[in-house]
Amino acid sequence: MNYNENKFRSSELERSDFMASKLKRMTFVLTPEMEPLLDGIKKEMFYNCSQSEMIRTLVDAGLNAIKNDNQRNPTKQLV
């Protein structure tokens, strides 16, 4: 699967307007185990995207997975 045609593609954005008005910055720390995994995913699936675009896509996919799981199992508690 190739995620280089996602909604965050740089060429489709007017970066200065979009970045200044719509996005907020966040910083997080990677564990030593996460770094090689993210590097591998970047090379295999997001080779034509920025690291920021990759992280946004992965976070969005994770949040959607949690939402879908909660809809299937409404009694399951989030950790």
Side-chain angles (χ1 to χ4, degrees):
M1 183 173 259
N2 181 346
Y3 286 91
N4 291 304
E5 295 297 324
N6 64 44
K7 63 183 174 184
F8 296 108
R9 189 169 175 167
S10 300
S11 62
E12 295 173 2
L13 301 175
E14 292 192 28
R15 287 189 83 61
S16 61
D17 293 338
F18 184 77
M19 298 295 280
S21 64
K22 303 288 183 186
L23 300 180
K24 293 185 179 185
R25 291 183 181 268
M26 176 183 276
T27 302
F28 62 97
V29 177
L30 294 179
T31 63
E33 298 82 15
M34 290 174 69
E35 189 173 10
L37 294 172
L38 288 173
D39 286 344
I41 290 171
K42 173 82 168 103
K43 289 176 186 173
E44 293 174 24
M45 299 170 68
F46 296 94
Y47 55 87
N48 200 28
C49 296
S50 70
Q51 223 174 20
S52 293
E53 292 170 6
M54 176 186 76
I55 297 298
R56 282 192 293 269
T57 302
L58 292 173
V59 169
D60 188 47
L63 293 172
N64 285 331
I66 290 170
K67 179 181 171 186
N68 292 337
D69 190 46
N70 286 340
Q71 289 173 348
R72 284 188 295 247
N73 303 309
T75 58
K76 184 178 177 182
Q77 295 292 319
L78 293 176
V79 178

